[in-house]
């Protein structure tokens, strides 16, 4: 017998609906049957849920960086000793170089040699020893004439000590202050102080008096600018 198409479709739909109903009923049945077991299963799921919250253990990992930061000062302090020895040797050479110049002036200060037998140096052309009352003519650092006896000033009019230069000469000269003759006068100091001929038994007014022969020798040898040393 032939089946109507609409009848077949309704049968199929009825089968599907019956299947759905049975599925629902089965699900409800399972829910009702396991209702007593639900409370036990729920805590198990709830206890499992906090497990992911174990993440707060992360602070333990965050505390790790301080350990690495604490190690940093240890490494930075290490280079300090290496720089100290480097700067120390640099200052020592500067102190050594400052020493040699001090020795230079001592060599320049060397005094001229003395003429043998006199208190005067080799630069003098005429030399007088006031304490011994003697005089010399000097040439090229050696005695040319002398020692010869001379007369000098007294305590009131002393003959000056020092190093002088011949200023001028006069073969015949009369002192304007004392109105005395001064033959063969060789002037070398202020106040009219000179070598000249004069008596050997009286003091002078500061001049150096020579015998006639010695006065002529002094006048002939000494020239303007020659050095005279009175010691």
């Amino acid at each position: 017998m032939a089946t109507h198409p609409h009848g077949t479709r309704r049968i199929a739909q009825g089968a599907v609906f019956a299947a759905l109903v049975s599925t629902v009923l089965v699900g409800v049945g399972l829910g009702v049957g396991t209702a007593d077991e639900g409370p036990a299963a729920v805590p198990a799921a709830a206890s499992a849920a906090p497990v992911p919250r174990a993440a707060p253990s992360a602070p333990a990992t965050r505390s790790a960086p301080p350990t690495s930061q604490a190690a940093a000062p240890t490494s930075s302090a290490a280079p300090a000793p290496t720089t100290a020895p480097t700067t120390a040797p640099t200052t020592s050479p500067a102190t050594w170089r400052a020493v040699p110049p001090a020795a230079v002036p001592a060599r320049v200060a060397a005094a001229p040699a003395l003429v043998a037998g006199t208190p005067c140096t080799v630069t003098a052309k005429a030399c007088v020893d006031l304490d011994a009352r003697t005089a010399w003519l000097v040439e090229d650092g050696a005695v040319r004439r002398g020692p010869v006896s001379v007369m000098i000033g007294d305590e009131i009019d002393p003959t000056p000590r020092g190093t002088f230069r011949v200023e001028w000469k006069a073969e015949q000269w009369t002192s304007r202050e004392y109105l005395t003759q001064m033959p063969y006068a060789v002037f070398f100091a202020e106040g009219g102080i000179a070598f000249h001929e004069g008596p050997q038994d009286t003091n002078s007014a500061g001049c150096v008096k020579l015998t006639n022969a010695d006065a002529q020798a002094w006048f002939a040898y000494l020239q303007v600018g020659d050095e005279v040393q009175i010691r």
Side-chain angles (χ1 to χ4, degrees):
M1 182 176 62
T3 304
H4 194 275
H6 293 287
T8 304
R9 182 179 300 174
R10 287 176 182 175
I11 293 171
Q13 289 177 352
V16 171
F17 179 76
L20 289 174
V21 172
S22 62
T23 301
V24 171
L25 291 175
V26 173
V28 173
L30 291 174
V32 173
T34 59
D36 294 336
E37 298 175 358
V42 171
S47 62
V51 175
R53 294 182 183 178
S57 60
T61 58
R62 294 180 183 177
S63 61
T67 57
S68 60
Q69 292 177 356
T74 305
S75 60
S76 62
T82 58
T83 56
T86 307
T87 57
T90 308
T91 58
S92 57
T95 305
W96 180 83
R97 293 193 187 102
V99 176
V104 175
R107 297 178 181 177
V108 178
L114 295 177
V115 177
T118 77
C120 301
T121 65
V122 295
T123 59
K125 292 293 186 179
C127 175
V128 177
D129 184 345
L130 295 180
D131 296 333
R133 292 187 179 184
T134 53
W136 298 262
L137 290 178
V138 178
E139 183 176 15
D140 297 330
V143 174
R144 176 187 174 93
R145 186 183 180 96
V148 301
S149 297
V150 298
M151 287 301 294
I152 58 175
D154 55 18
E155 294 180 356
I156 299 175
D157 296 310
T159 301
R161 296 177 185 268
T163 300
F164 309 92
R165 296 283 180 180
V166 174
E167 297 177 353
W168 58 287
K169 304 193 307 180
E171 188 172 351
Q172 295 296 326
W173 185 258
T174 299
S175 172
R176 296 176 182 177
E177 184 176 359
Y178 299 100
L179 299 177
T180 57
Q181 297 296 315
M182 300 171 60
Y184 307 108
V186 180
F187 295 90
F188 60 86
E190 293 183 0
I193 305 300
F195 294 107
H196 64 84
E197 180 185 347
Q200 295 296 301
D201 56 355
T202 59
N203 290 104
S204 69
C207 291
V208 179
K209 295 193 299 182
L210 301 161
T211 65
N212 176 266
D214 291 333
Q216 289 187 46
W218 255 249
F219 184 82
Y221 178 69
L222 294 176
Q223 305 298 318
V224 174
D226 285 351
E227 186 172 304
V228 175
Q229 296 182 14
I230 308 296
R231 302 288 185 249

